[in-house]
Amino acid sequence: MNAPLLTVEQVTRRIGERDVVASVSFTMAPGEVVALLGPSGSGKTSLLRMVAGFDAPSGGRILLQGEAVSADGRIAVPPEKRGL
């Protein structure tokens, strides 16, 4: 079985005292279409910035094709190397 294209595990993004993304988890298979829905300020853009590699998660990890690209406050693979 192939690894999911994208795995987001318990990702949190904290800015100051506020969690802008709180413990989000999901997987995305190759060819699958996923939509992020929510009101203004719910963390959609923050989550996409972390997946793209522009921001690091405060907690949790992001994997592309089974490889950890961001985890617990650090970016392991920069945006230009992710192919997104």
Coordinates of all heavy atoms in Angstrom, one line a residue:
M1 N 0.8 -1.2 0.0 CA 0.0 0.0 0.0 C 0.9 1.2 0.0 O 1.9 1.3 0.7 CB -0.9 0.0 1.2 CG -1.9 1.1 1.3 SD -3.1 0.8 2.6 CE -3.2 2.4 3.2
N2 N 0.5 2.2 -0.8 CA 1.3 3.5 -0.9 C 1.0 4.4 0.3 O -0.1 4.4 0.8 CB 0.9 4.2 -2.2 CG 1.4 3.4 -3.4 OD1 2.4 2.6 -3.3 ND2 0.8 3.7 -4.6
A3 N 2.0 5.2 0.6 CA 1.8 6.2 1.7 C 0.8 7.3 1.2 O 0.8 7.6 0.0 CB 3.1 6.8 2.1
P4 N 0.1 7.9 2.1 CA -0.8 9.0 1.6 C 0.1 10.1 1.0 O 1.3 10.3 1.4 CB -1.4 9.5 2.9 CG -1.3 8.3 3.9 CD -0.1 7.6 3.5
L5 N -0.5 10.9 0.1 CA 0.2 12.0 -0.4 C 0.6 13.1 0.7 O 1.7 13.5 0.8 CB -0.6 12.7 -1.5 CG 0.0 14.0 -2.1 CD1 1.3 13.7 -2.8 CD2 -1.0 14.6 -3.1
L6 N -0.4 13.3 1.5 CA -0.2 14.3 2.6 C -0.8 13.8 3.9 O -1.9 13.2 3.9 CB -1.0 15.6 2.2 CG -1.1 16.7 3.3 CD1 0.3 17.3 3.6 CD2 -2.0 17.8 2.9
T7 N -0.1 13.9 5.0 CA -0.5 13.5 6.3 C -0.3 14.7 7.2 O 0.8 15.2 7.3 CB 0.2 12.3 6.8 OG1 0.0 11.2 5.9 CG2 -0.4 11.9 8.2
V8 N -1.3 15.1 7.9 CA -1.3 16.2 8.9 C -1.6 15.6 10.2 O -2.7 15.0 10.3 CB -2.2 17.4 8.5 CG1 -2.2 18.4 9.6 CG2 -1.8 18.0 7.2
E9 N -0.7 15.5 11.2 CA -0.9 14.8 12.4 C -0.9 15.8 13.6 O 0.2 16.4 13.9 CB 0.2 13.8 12.7 CG 0.2 12.7 11.7 CD 1.3 11.7 11.9 OE1 2.3 12.0 12.6 OE2 1.1 10.5 11.4
Q10 N -2.0 16.0 14.2 CA -2.1 16.8 15.5 C -1.4 18.2 15.3 O -0.7 18.6 16.3 CB -1.6 16.1 16.7 CG -2.3 14.8 16.9 CD -3.7 15.0 17.4 OE1 -4.0 15.8 18.2 NE2 -4.7 14.3 16.7
V11 N -1.6 18.8 14.2 CA -0.9 20.1 13.9 C -1.5 21.3 14.7 O -2.7 21.4 14.6 CB -0.8 20.4 12.4 CG1 -0.4 21.8 12.1 CG2 0.2 19.4 11.8
T12 N -0.7 22.0 15.4 CA -1.1 23.2 16.1 C -0.2 24.4 15.7 O 1.0 24.2 15.5 CB -1.0 23.0 17.6 OG1 -1.8 21.9 18.0 CG2 -1.4 24.2 18.4
R13 N -0.8 25.5 15.6 CA 0.0 26.8 15.3 C -0.4 27.8 16.4 O -1.6 28.1 16.5 CB -0.3 27.3 13.9 CG 0.3 28.6 13.6 CD 1.8 28.4 13.2 NE 2.2 29.7 12.6 CZ 3.4 30.2 12.9 NH1 4.3 29.6 13.6 NH2 3.8 31.4 12.4
R14 N 0.5 28.2 17.2 CA 0.3 29.1 18.2 C 1.0 30.5 17.9 O 2.1 30.5 17.6 CB 0.8 28.6 19.5 CG 0.4 29.3 20.8 CD 0.8 28.5 22.0 NE 0.1 28.9 23.2 CZ -1.2 28.9 23.4 NH1 -2.0 28.6 22.5 NH2 -1.7 29.3 24.6
I15 N 0.2 31.5 18.0 CA 0.8 32.9 17.8 C 0.5 33.6 19.1 O -0.7 33.9 19.4 CB 0.2 33.6 16.6 CG1 0.6 32.8 15.3 CG2 0.7 35.0 16.5 CD1 0.0 33.4 14.1
G16 N 1.5 33.9 19.9 CA 1.3 34.6 21.2 C 0.6 33.6 22.1 O 1.0 32.5 22.3
E17 N -0.5 34.1 22.7 CA -1.3 33.3 23.6 C -2.4 32.5 22.9 O -3.2 31.8 23.5 CB -1.9 34.2 24.7 CG -0.9 34.8 25.6 CD -0.2 33.8 26.4 OE1 -0.8 32.9 27.0 OE2 1.1 33.9 26.6
R18 N -2.5 32.7 21.6 CA -3.7 32.2 20.8 C -3.3 31.0 19.9 O -2.3 31.1 19.2 CB -4.3 33.3 20.0 CG -5.5 33.0 19.2 CD -6.1 34.2 18.6 NE -7.3 33.8 17.8 CZ -7.3 33.8 16.5 NH1 -6.3 34.2 15.8 NH2 -8.4 33.4 15.9
D19 N -4.1 29.9 20.0 CA -4.0 28.8 19.0 C -4.8 29.2 17.8 O -6.0 29.3 17.8 CB -4.5 27.5 19.6 CG -3.6 26.9 20.6 OD1 -2.4 27.2 20.6 OD2 -4.1 26.0 21.3
V20 N -4.1 29.5 16.6 CA -4.8 29.8 15.4 C -5.1 28.5 14.7 O -6.1 28.5 13.8 CB -4.0 30.8 14.5 CG1 -3.9 32.1 15.2 CG2 -2.6 30.2 14.2
V21 N -4.4 27.4 14.9 CA -4.8 26.1 14.4 C -4.6 25.2 15.6 O -3.6 25.2 16.3 CB -3.9 25.6 13.3 CG1 -4.2 24.2 12.9 CG2 -4.0 26.6 12.1
A22 N -5.6 24.4 16.0 CA -5.6 23.6 17.2 C -5.8 22.1 16.9 O -6.9 21.7 16.5 CB -6.6 24.1 18.2
S23 N -4.7 21.3 16.9 CA -4.8 19.9 16.8 C -5.6 19.3 15.6 O -6.5 18.6 15.7 CB -5.4 19.3 18.1 OG -5.1 18.0 18.2
V24 N -5.1 19.7 14.4 CA -5.8 19.3 13.2 C -5.1 18.1 12.7 O -3.8 18.0 12.6 CB -5.7 20.4 12.1 CG1 -6.2 19.9 10.8 CG2 -6.5 21.6 12.6
S25 N -5.8 17.1 12.3 CA -5.3 15.8 11.7 C -6.2 15.4 10.5 O -7.4 15.5 10.5 CB -5.3 14.7 12.7 OG -4.5 14.9 13.8
F26 N -5.5 15.0 9.4 CA -6.2 14.4 8.2 C -5.1 13.8 7.3 O -3.9 14.1 7.4 CB -7.1 15.4 7.5 CG -6.3 16.6 6.8 CD1 -5.9 16.4 5.5 CD2 -6.1 17.7 7.5 CE1 -5.2 17.5 4.9 CE2 -5.4 18.8 6.9 CZ -5.0 18.6 5.6
T27 N -5.6 13.0 6.4 CA -4.7 12.4 5.4 C -5.4 12.7 4.0 O -6.6 12.9 3.9 CB -4.5 10.9 5.5 OG1 -5.7 10.2 5.4 CG2 -3.8 10.6 6.8
M28 N -4.5 12.7 3.0 CA -5.0 13.0 1.6 C -4.3 12.0 0.7 O -3.1 12.0 0.7 CB -4.7 14.4 1.3 CG -5.3 14.9 0.0 SD -5.0 16.7 -0.2 CE -4.3 16.7 -1.8
A29 N -5.1 11.2 0.0 CA -4.5 10.3 -1.0 C -4.2 10.9 -2.3 O -4.8 12.0 -2.6 CB -5.5 9.1 -1.2
P30 N -3.3 10.4 -3.1 CA -3.0 10.9 -4.4 C -4.3 10.9 -5.2 O -5.1 10.0 -5.2 CB -2.0 9.9 -5.0 CG -1.3 9.3 -3.8 CD -2.4 9.2 -2.8
G31 N -4.5 12.1 -5.9 CA -5.7 12.2 -6.7 C -7.0 12.7 -6.0 O -8.0 13.0 -6.6
E32 N -6.9 12.7 -4.6 CA -8.1 13.1 -3.8 C -8.1 14.6 -3.8 O -7.1 15.3 -3.7 CB -7.9 12.5 -2.4 CG -9.1 12.8 -1.5 CD -8.9 12.1 -0.2 OE1 -7.8 11.8 0.2 OE2 -9.9 11.8 0.5
V33 N -9.3 15.1 -3.7 CA -9.6 16.6 -3.6 C -10.1 16.8 -2.2 O -11.0 16.2 -1.8 CB -10.6 17.1 -4.7 CG1 -10.9 18.6 -4.5 CG2 -10.1 16.8 -6.1
V34 N -9.5 17.8 -1.5 CA -9.9 18.2 -0.2 C -10.2 19.7 -0.1 O -9.5 20.5 -0.7 CB -8.7 17.8 0.8 CG1 -9.1 18.3 2.2 CG2 -8.5 16.3 0.8
A35 N -11.2 20.0 0.6 CA -11.6 21.4 0.8 C -11.5 21.8 2.2 O -11.9 21.0 3.1 CB -13.0 21.7 0.3
L36 N -10.9 23.0 2.5 CA -10.9 23.5 3.9 C -12.0 24.6 4.0 O -11.9 25.6 3.3 CB -9.5 24.1 4.2 CG -8.3 23.2 4.2 CD1 -7.1 24.0 4.4 CD2 -8.5 22.2 5.3
L37 N -12.9 24.4 4.9 CA -14.0 25.3 5.0 C -14.0 25.8 6.5 O -13.7 25.1 7.4 CB -15.4 24.6 4.7 CG -15.5 24.0 3.3 CD1 -16.8 23.2 3.3 CD2 -15.5 25.1 2.3
G38 N -14.4 27.1 6.6 CA -14.5 27.6 8.0 C -14.7 29.1 7.9 O -14.4 29.7 6.8
P39 N -15.1 29.7 8.9 CA -15.3 31.2 8.9 C -13.9 31.9 8.9 O -12.9 31.3 9.2 CB -16.0 31.5 10.2 CG -15.7 30.3 11.1 CD -15.5 29.1 10.2
S40 N -14.0 33.2 8.7 CA -12.8 34.0 8.7 C -12.1 33.9 10.1 O -12.8 33.9 11.1 CB -13.2 35.5 8.5 OG -12.1 36.3 8.6
G41 N -10.8 33.7 10.1 CA -10.0 33.6 11.3 C -10.0 32.2 11.9 O -9.5 32.0 13.0
S42 N -10.5 31.2 11.2 CA -10.5 29.8 11.7 C -9.2 29.0 11.5 O -9.1 27.9 12.0 CB -11.7 29.0 11.1 OG -11.5 28.9 9.7
G43 N -8.3 29.6 10.8 CA -7.0 28.9 10.6 C -6.7 28.3 9.3 O -5.7 27.6 9.1
K44 N -7.6 28.5 8.3 CA -7.4 27.8 7.0 C -6.1 28.3 6.3 O -5.4 27.4 5.9 CB -8.6 28.2 6.1 CG -10.0 27.8 6.6 CD -11.1 28.3 5.7 CE -11.2 29.8 5.4 NZ -11.6 30.6 6.6
T45 N -5.9 29.5 6.2 CA -4.7 30.0 5.6 C -3.4 29.6 6.4 O -2.4 29.2 5.8 CB -4.7 31.5 5.4 OG1 -5.8 31.9 4.6 CG2 -3.4 32.1 4.8
S46 N -3.5 29.7 7.7 CA -2.4 29.2 8.5 C -2.0 27.8 8.3 O -0.9 27.4 8.2 CB -2.7 29.5 10.0 OG -2.8 30.8 10.3
L47 N -3.0 26.9 8.1 CA -2.8 25.5 7.9 C -2.2 25.3 6.5 O -1.2 24.6 6.4 CB -4.1 24.7 8.0 CG -4.0 23.2 7.8 CD1 -3.0 22.6 8.8 CD2 -5.4 22.6 7.8
L48 N -2.7 26.0 5.5 CA -2.1 25.9 4.1 C -0.6 26.4 4.1 O 0.2 25.9 3.4 CB -3.0 26.7 3.1 CG -4.3 26.0 2.8 CD1 -5.1 26.9 1.9 CD2 -4.1 24.7 2.2
R49 N -0.4 27.5 4.9 CA 1.0 28.0 4.9 C 2.0 27.0 5.6 O 3.1 26.9 5.1 CB 1.1 29.4 5.7 CG 0.4 30.5 4.9 CD 0.6 31.8 5.7 NE 2.0 32.2 6.0 CZ 2.8 32.7 5.1 NH1 2.5 33.0 3.9 NH2 4.1 33.0 5.5
M50 N 1.5 26.3 6.5 CA 2.3 25.2 7.2 C 2.5 24.0 6.2 O 3.6 23.5 6.1 CB 1.7 24.7 8.5 CG 1.8 25.8 9.6 SD 1.2 25.2 11.2 CE -0.6 25.2 10.9
V51 N 1.5 23.6 5.5 CA 1.6 22.5 4.5 C 2.6 23.0 3.4 O 3.5 22.2 3.0 CB 0.3 22.2 3.9 CG1 0.4 21.2 2.7 CG2 -0.6 21.5 5.0
A52 N 2.5 24.2 3.0 CA 3.4 24.7 1.9 C 4.9 24.9 2.4 O 5.8 24.9 1.6 CB 2.9 26.0 1.3
G53 N 5.1 25.0 3.7 CA 6.4 25.2 4.3 C 6.8 26.6 4.6 O 8.0 26.9 4.9
F54 N 5.8 27.6 4.5 CA 6.2 29.0 4.8 C 6.1 29.2 6.3 O 6.8 30.2 6.8 CB 5.2 29.9 4.1 CG 5.3 29.8 2.6 CD1 4.2 29.3 1.9 CD2 6.4 30.2 2.0 CE1 4.3 29.2 0.5 CE2 6.6 30.1 0.6 CZ 5.5 29.6 -0.1
D55 N 5.4 28.4 7.1 CA 5.4 28.6 8.6 C 5.6 27.2 9.2 O 5.1 26.2 8.6 CB 4.0 29.1 9.0 CG 3.8 30.5 8.6 OD1 4.7 31.3 8.5 OD2 2.6 30.9 8.4
A56 N 6.2 27.1 10.3 CA 6.4 25.9 11.0 C 5.2 25.6 12.0 O 4.8 26.6 12.6 CB 7.7 25.9 11.8
P57 N 4.8 24.4 12.2 CA 3.8 24.1 13.2 C 4.4 24.3 14.6 O 5.6 24.0 14.8 CB 3.4 22.7 12.9 CG 4.5 22.1 12.2 CD 5.2 23.2 11.5
S58 N 3.6 24.7 15.6 CA 4.1 24.8 16.9 C 4.1 23.4 17.6 O 4.9 23.1 18.5 CB 3.1 25.7 17.8 OG 3.1 27.0 17.2
G59 N 3.3 22.5 17.1 CA 3.2 21.1 17.5 C 2.6 20.3 16.4 O 2.1 20.7 15.5
G60 N 2.9 19.0 16.5 CA 2.4 18.0 15.5 C 3.4 17.9 14.4 O 4.5 18.5 14.4
R61 N 3.0 17.2 13.3 CA 3.9 17.1 12.1 C 3.1 17.0 10.9 O 2.0 16.6 10.8 CB 4.9 16.0 12.3 CG 4.3 14.6 12.4 CD 5.3 13.5 12.7 NE 4.7 12.2 12.4 CZ 5.4 11.2 12.1 NH1 6.7 11.3 11.9 NH2 4.8 10.0 11.9
I62 N 3.8 17.3 9.8 CA 3.3 17.3 8.4 C 4.2 16.4 7.6 O 5.4 16.5 7.6 CB 3.2 18.7 7.8 CG1 2.3 19.6 8.6 CG2 2.7 18.6 6.3 CD1 2.3 21.0 8.3
L63 N 3.6 15.4 6.9 CA 4.4 14.5 6.1 C 3.9 14.5 4.6 O 2.7 14.6 4.4 CB 4.2 13.0 6.6 CG 4.7 12.7 8.0 CD1 3.6 12.9 9.0 CD2 5.2 11.3 8.0
L64 N 4.8 14.6 3.7 CA 4.5 14.5 2.3 C 5.1 13.1 1.8 O 6.3 12.9 1.9 CB 5.2 15.6 1.5 CG 4.5 17.0 1.7 CD1 5.4 18.1 0.9 CD2 3.1 17.0 1.2
Q65 N 4.2 12.3 1.3 CA 4.6 11.0 0.8 C 5.4 10.2 1.8 O 6.4 9.5 1.5 CB 5.3 11.0 -0.5 CG 4.4 11.6 -1.6 CD 5.1 11.8 -3.0 OE1 6.3 11.9 -3.0 NE2 4.3 11.7 -4.0
G66 N 5.0 10.3 3.1 CA 5.6 9.6 4.2 C 6.8 10.2 4.8 O 7.3 9.7 5.8
E67 N 7.3 11.3 4.2 CA 8.5 12.0 4.7 C 8.1 13.2 5.6 O 7.3 14.1 5.1 CB 9.4 12.5 3.6 CG 10.6 13.2 4.0 CD 11.4 13.9 2.9 OE1 11.1 13.6 1.7 OE2 12.3 14.6 3.2
A68 N 8.6 13.3 6.8 CA 8.3 14.5 7.7 C 9.0 15.7 7.1 O 10.2 15.8 6.9 CB 8.8 14.2 9.1
V69 N 8.1 16.7 6.7 CA 8.7 17.9 6.2 C 8.6 19.1 7.1 O 9.3 20.1 7.0 CB 7.9 18.3 4.8 CG1 8.2 17.3 3.8 CG2 6.4 18.5 5.0
S70 N 7.8 19.0 8.2 CA 7.7 20.0 9.2 C 7.2 19.2 10.5 O 6.4 18.4 10.5 CB 6.6 21.0 8.9 OG 7.0 21.8 7.9
A71 N 7.8 19.6 11.6 CA 7.4 19.0 12.9 C 7.9 19.8 14.1 O 9.0 20.4 14.1 CB 8.0 17.6 13.0
D72 N 7.0 20.0 15.0 CA 7.3 20.6 16.3 C 8.2 21.8 16.3 O 9.3 21.9 16.9 CB 7.9 19.5 17.3 CG 6.9 18.4 17.6 OD1 5.7 18.7 17.6 OD2 7.4 17.3 17.8
G73 N 7.8 22.8 15.5 CA 8.5 24.1 15.5 C 9.6 24.2 14.5 O 10.3 25.2 14.6
R74 N 9.8 23.3 13.7 CA 10.8 23.4 12.7 C 10.4 22.9 11.3 O 9.5 22.1 11.2 CB 12.1 22.6 13.1 CG 11.9 21.2 13.1 CD 13.2 20.4 13.5 NE 13.1 19.0 13.4 CZ 13.1 18.3 12.2 NH1 13.4 19.0 11.1 NH2 12.9 17.0 12.2
I75 N 11.0 23.5 10.3 CA 10.7 23.2 8.9 C 11.9 22.3 8.4 O 13.0 22.8 8.4 CB 10.6 24.4 8.0 CG1 9.3 25.2 8.5 CG2 10.4 24.0 6.6 CD1 9.1 26.5 7.8
A76 N 11.7 21.0 8.1 CA 12.7 20.1 7.7 C 13.0 20.2 6.2 O 14.1 20.0 5.7 CB 12.4 18.7 8.1
V77 N 12.0 20.5 5.4 CA 12.1 20.7 4.0 C 11.5 22.0 3.6 O 10.4 22.3 3.8 CB 11.3 19.5 3.2 CG1 11.4 19.7 1.7 CG2 11.9 18.2 3.6
P78 N 12.3 22.9 3.0 CA 11.9 24.3 2.6 C 10.8 24.2 1.5 O 10.7 23.2 0.8 CB 13.1 25.0 2.2 CG 14.1 23.9 1.8 CD 13.7 22.7 2.6
P79 N 10.0 25.3 1.4 CA 9.0 25.3 0.4 C 9.4 25.0 -1.0 O 8.7 24.3 -1.7 CB 8.4 26.8 0.5 CG 8.9 27.3 1.8 CD 10.1 26.6 2.2
E80 N 10.5 25.5 -1.4 CA 11.0 25.3 -2.8 C 11.3 23.8 -3.1 O 11.4 23.4 -4.3 CB 12.1 26.2 -3.2 CG 13.4 26.0 -2.4 CD 13.5 26.7 -1.1 OE1 12.5 27.3 -0.6 OE2 14.6 26.7 -0.5
K81 N 11.5 23.0 -2.1 CA 11.8 21.6 -2.3 C 10.6 20.7 -2.1 O 10.8 19.5 -2.3 CB 12.9 21.2 -1.2 CG 14.2 22.0 -1.3 CD 15.2 21.4 -2.1 CE 16.4 22.2 -2.0 NZ 17.5 21.9 -2.8
R82 N 9.5 21.2 -1.8 CA 8.3 20.4 -1.6 C 7.5 20.1 -2.8 O 6.7 19.2 -2.9 CB 7.3 21.1 -0.6 CG 8.0 21.2 0.8 CD 7.0 21.7 1.8 NE 7.7 21.9 3.1 CZ 7.2 21.9 4.2 NH1 5.9 21.8 4.4 NH2 7.9 22.1 5.3
G83 N 7.6 20.8 -3.9 CA 6.9 20.6 -5.1 C 5.4 20.8 -5.0 O 4.7 20.1 -5.7
L84 N 5.0 21.7 -4.2 CA 3.6 22.0 -4.1 C 3.2 23.3 -4.8 O 4.0 24.2 -4.9 CB 3.2 22.2 -2.6 CG 3.4 21.0 -1.7 CD1 3.1 21.3 -0.3 CD2 2.5 19.9 -2.2

